[in-house]
Amino acid sequence: MAKISGPTETARCIQSLIAVFQKYAGKDGYNCNLSKTEFLSFMNTELAAFTKNQKDPGVLDRMKKLDVSSDGQLDFPKFLNLIGGLAVACHDSFLKAVPSQKWT
Amino acid sequence: MAKISGPTETARCIQSLIAVFQKYAGKDGYNCNLSKTEFLSFMNTELAAFTKNQKDPGVLDRMKKLDVSSDGQLDFPKFLNLIGGLAVACHDSFLKAVPSQKWT
């Protein structure tokens, strides 16, 4: 008999990232992009704690570059690029704290 | 008085993506990369429903390319690139279903 299960953790993350983007991007009624105001609202609400504790200047530089993109708009792929940069920085910190072991 | 709150939705997503990657990458004791076996285990468990219903050949092509990367290993940035590709495909479907309205 087929087992019926809910969405996986990865699927839930994809849904959440879309929902968060839409929550902020839709504030001005145009839900394809984050305007500069929407982007700052997102940063100050969702990532306030992270940016405050962020020591990696590369990540903060990346945010600033995104913030001042030529057309002042941040689309969903660029938004994911930002989240991905933060995730890689967090993962690098994790790997330093918990060194990997290779069984050879 | 300062308000104490839990992690934001975005922070939870970053934590979950790291946890999922570590869950599968750590199976062979080397937690920096997904081996081909670990990648297939991840795909078949976490993304089975998604890949079954995926109609966009570009996304599936991207997965195949990642799957046969030169060294047979998938690091965390490449892993996020895959998840990002899936999220963009899902977001595009969402925008088609719910067209945006620009207030001009």
Side-chain angles (χ1 to χ4, degrees):
Chain A
M1 206 163 135
K3 189 183 164 193
I4 299 172
S5 54
T8 62
E9 193 62 25
T10 307
R12 266 196 294 267
C13 284
I14 291 174
Q15 289 168 350
S16 289
L17 289 171
I18 292 173
V20 167
F21 181 81
Q22 283 298 317
K23 178 179 170 185
Y24 291 90
K27 288 191 176 186
D28 64 1
Y30 182 59
N31 66 349
C32 292
N33 287 316
L34 290 173
S35 67
K36 189 163 182 172
T37 308
E38 289 168 338
F39 176 68
L40 290 176
S41 171
F42 162 76
M43 291 290 289
N44 293 333
T45 312
E46 288 282 323
L47 297 179
F50 187 89
T51 51
K52 208 169 64 178
N53 297 319
Q54 181 52 242
K55 301 288 191 299
D56 182 347
V59 173
L60 295 177
D61 281 351
R62 186 192 289 242
M63 288 181 191
K64 282 179 200 158
K65 275 183 198 158
L66 287 169
D67 189 12
V68 291
S69 67
S70 56
D71 60 356
Q73 297 283 325
L74 195 76
D75 63 12
F76 189 60
K78 283 186 205 160
F79 170 81
L80 289 181
N81 194 29
L82 166 70
I83 306 294
L86 299 181
V88 168
C90 291
H91 188 246
D92 288 348
S93 301
F94 170 81
L95 289 181
K96 276 177 200 157
V98 185
S100 73
Q101 297 177 320
K102 185 161 189 172
W103 297 345
T104 48
Chain B
M1 205 165 132
K3 189 181 163 193
I4 299 172
S5 54
T8 63
E9 192 63 26
T10 307
R12 266 196 293 268
C13 283
I14 291 175
Q15 288 169 350
S16 288
L17 290 170
I18 291 173
V20 167
F21 181 81
Q22 283 297 317
K23 177 180 171 184
Y24 290 90
K27 287 190 177 188
D28 64 2
Y30 182 60
N31 67 348
C32 292
N33 287 315
L34 290 172
S35 68
K36 190 163 182 173
T37 308
E38 289 168 337
F39 176 69
L40 291 175
S41 171
F42 162 75
M43 291 291 288
N44 293 334
T45 312
E46 288 282 323
L47 297 178
F50 187 91
T51 52
K52 208 169 65 179
N53 296 321
Q54 181 52 241
K55 300 290 189 300
D56 180 347
V59 173
L60 295 177
D61 281 352
R62 185 192 288 241
M63 288 181 190
K64 281 178 200 159
K65 275 183 198 156
L66 286 171
D67 190 11
V68 292
S69 66
S70 56
D71 59 357
Q73 298 282 325
L74 196 74
D75 62 15
F76 188 61
K78 285 186 202 160
F79 170 81
L80 290 181
N81 194 27
L82 166 70
I83 306 294
L86 300 180
V88 168
C90 292
H91 188 246
D92 288 348
S93 302
F94 169 81
L95 289 181
K96 277 178 199 156
V98 184
S100 74
Q101 296 177 319
K102 185 160 191 173
W103 297 343
T104 50

